[in-house]
Amino acid sequence: EADIYQTPRYLVIGTGKKITLECSQTMGHDKMYWYQQDPGMELHLIHYSYGVNSTEKGDLSSESTVSRIRTEHFPLTLESARPSHTSQYLCASSAGARDEQFFGPGTRLTVL
Amino acid sequence: QQQVKQSPQSLIVQKGGISIINCAYENTAFDYFPWYQQFPGKGPALLIAIRPDVSEKKEGRFTISFNKSAKQFSLHIMDSQPGDSATYFCAASNWANNLFFGTGTRLTVIP
C-alpha cells in the first residue's frame, strides 16, 4: 500500500471560493504530480515538481497553482473555483522521473 | 495530440477468458511502458511495466507484448476473473518526459 494521502476525499463548494487540495507522501520521493481525471477516465498532468522549491506546469493548462515547500507536501490551490473545475484530482509521487508513480486516492471536487 | 492511443474503450469478457488491451505510440524516444490498474474510488496502481529491450514480460496472469517496429504494446490478462474488473491505463515515457497516459479501458469480467 502506497503511503500517499489526499484530503479531502470529497469537496462540494460554491463558485468563487478559494480551495486547497492537500497531498502528502511519506516515502521521501523527490518527484510529485497532480493529475486531473474527468469522468471519461483520461488522466491529464496539470502540475509536477522535481523537488523542494520546484514546480512545473503539465500538459493540460490549469488555473490552479501548486507549491513545494517541503519534500512530503504538494498542495494544489484554486483561488476562485468555477463549475468548470469540477473533476477528480489525483496526486502521485515517484522516486525519479521514470520510476513507478504511486497515486493517492484522489479528491473529487464539485463546484456548484 | 494524444501521445499514446489506447483501445478498446470498454471490454466485456467472460470469466476464464483472455482480455486484450492495445496501445500505440508515435514517439520513438519512449523507452518505458507501464500499465496501471484503477479500481473505482481508488488511484491508479502500477500493474506491470516493460522496457523495449524485451518483446514480452509476464507476471502471473498478466503479460505485456511489445512490438518496437510497429510501435505498439498490449496487455493480455489470462484466465480473467471478476476481481480483474477495473479500468486499465497504458502509459509511455522516456528519461526527459513525464508519463503520457492512454485514455483508459474499462474491463468488466462476467462471472
Side-chain angles (χ1 to χ4, degrees):
Chain A
E1 192 78 15
D3 296 323
I4 182 162
Y5 308 98
Q6 289 186 245
T7 57
R9 291 294 313 278
Y10 304 92
L11 181 61
V12 180
I13 60 167
T15 297
K17 299 291 186 183
K18 177 181 178 179
I19 62 165
T20 297
L21 307 185
E22 302 288 348
C23 176
S24 295
Q25 51 97 3
T26 58
M27 297 172 282
H29 287 166
D30 284 327
K31 200 158 184 188
M32 294 189 73
Y33 316 80
W34 276 102
Y35 292 89
Q36 186 173 336
Q37 185 177 34
D38 291 326
M41 305 182 299
E42 190 170 358
L43 285 149
H44 295 285
L45 180 67
I46 52 175
H47 298 283
Y48 62 99
S49 166
Y50 290 108
V52 171
N53 295 324
S54 156
T55 61
E56 304 286 344
K57 291 192 177 296
D59 307 309
L60 180 69
S61 176
S62 174
E63 294 168 344
S64 58
T65 59
V66 292
S67 62
R68 190 86 182 275
I69 299 173
R70 303 197 315 266
T71 297
E72 64 272 20
H73 195 213
F74 191 41
L76 181 146
T77 299
L78 276 166
E79 289 293 333
S80 180
R82 296 206 301 270
S84 61
H85 296 137
T86 294
S87 188
Q88 173 160 262
Y89 293 84
L90 287 162
C91 180
S93 72
S94 66
R98 287 160 75 235
D99 293 308
E100 176 181 356
Q101 290 190 22
F102 293 89
F103 283 82
T107 293
R108 186 167 294 279
L109 173 66
T110 302
V111 184
L112 303 176
Chain B
Q1 181 186 359
Q2 190 71 34
Q3 295 274 352
V4 180
K5 296 180 180 179
Q6 182 172 348
S7 64
Q9 186 174 1
S10 63
L11 181 61
I12 299 174
V13 173
Q14 292 278 355
K15 178 183 175 182
I18 302 173
S19 304
I20 302 174
I21 305 170
N22 300 300
C23 287
Y25 63 97
E26 287 298 325
N27 188 340
T28 55
F30 287 152
D31 63 358
Y32 174 61
F33 303 91
W35 285 88
Y36 281 79
Q37 180 188 53
Q38 185 178 25
F39 292 104
K42 304 281 189 181
L46 180 66
L47 182 65
I48 186 172
I50 196 169
R51 298 191 190 274
D53 51 343
V54 296
S55 61
E56 185 174 284
K57 182 173 182 180
K58 184 176 182 179
E59 290 185 1
R61 297 183 294 108
F62 300 91
T63 300
I64 300 178
S65 297
F66 184 80
N67 186 330
K68 189 174 181 178
S69 61
K71 292 182 287 186
Q72 295 175 347
F73 58 110
S74 60
L75 176 69
H76 295 238
I77 306 175
M78 312 300 288
D79 186 26
S80 298
Q81 299 296 313
D84 298 330
S85 296
T87 300
Y88 293 82
F89 292 93
C90 61
S93 76
N94 65 11
W95 68 271
N97 294 113
N98 298 302
L99 278 175
F100 293 97
F101 283 88
T103 51
T105 296
R106 182 168 292 167
L107 172 66
T108 302
V109 181
I110 300 172

